[in-house]
Amino acid sequence: MDLPWLKSLIFWIIVVVVIFAIFQCTQKSEDNKSASTLMYERLYQCSRDLSAKNPTALKSIQAQIRPDMKQKELMQLINQCRQVNPLATQTTYIKAIQSIK
């Protein structure tokens, strides 16, 4: 019994599983890289206003931050900060940039 559709189905399942496995490995590898200076800058920009808005969140971030953090860990701190201090709109940032003298 010749079933070409079954062979094709098995082939595509294997291809999808391999691609998914490669993606997962790449993602884990990226998460374990050291955080860049730009990520620390983003956290600083978010947290500099927290002393007035939510000093408890600021103290929590200050207690967790270290110089040797991984990208995943620093992203968690940035997300924690963004929950308390959400981003402004694009228009707000554009106007702020244009008003710099």
Side-chain angles (χ1 to χ4, degrees):
M1 172 161 79
D2 191 21
L3 299 171
W5 63 271
L6 183 60
K7 291 178 185 177
S8 178
L9 179 66
I10 291 171
F11 170 78
W12 286 111
I13 288 173
I14 291 171
V15 168
V16 168
V17 168
V18 168
I19 290 172
F20 182 73
I22 291 171
F23 174 76
Q24 289 295 324
C25 290
T26 304
Q27 189 66 34
K28 286 180 184 176
S29 161
E30 194 69 26
D31 285 345
N32 289 328
K33 285 185 179 179
S34 293
S36 68
T37 304
L38 186 59
M39 293 179 75
Y40 283 97
E41 180 185 17
R42 284 184 61 203
L43 181 60
Y44 165 73
Q45 289 173 349
C46 176
S47 59
R48 67 181 165 198
D49 299 329
L50 288 182
S51 59
K53 291 182 179 179
N54 193 332
T56 308
L58 179 60
K59 289 185 189 303
S60 173
I61 290 170
Q62 288 172 333
Q64 296 177 56
I65 196 161
R66 326 180 291 284
D68 61 340
M69 295 185 78
K70 303 295 181 200
Q71 285 186 12
K72 184 176 185 177
E73 297 169 323
L74 197 55
M75 281 303 299
Q76 289 171 344
L77 288 181
I78 291 170
N79 289 336
Q80 179 182 342
C81 183
R82 285 291 170 218
Q83 287 176 351
V84 178
N85 187 16
L87 288 170
T89 64
Q90 290 178 348
T91 307
T92 305
Y93 291 119
I94 291 169
K95 287 178 181 176
I97 291 168
Q98 291 173 341
S99 68
I100 296 173
K101 303 212 181 224

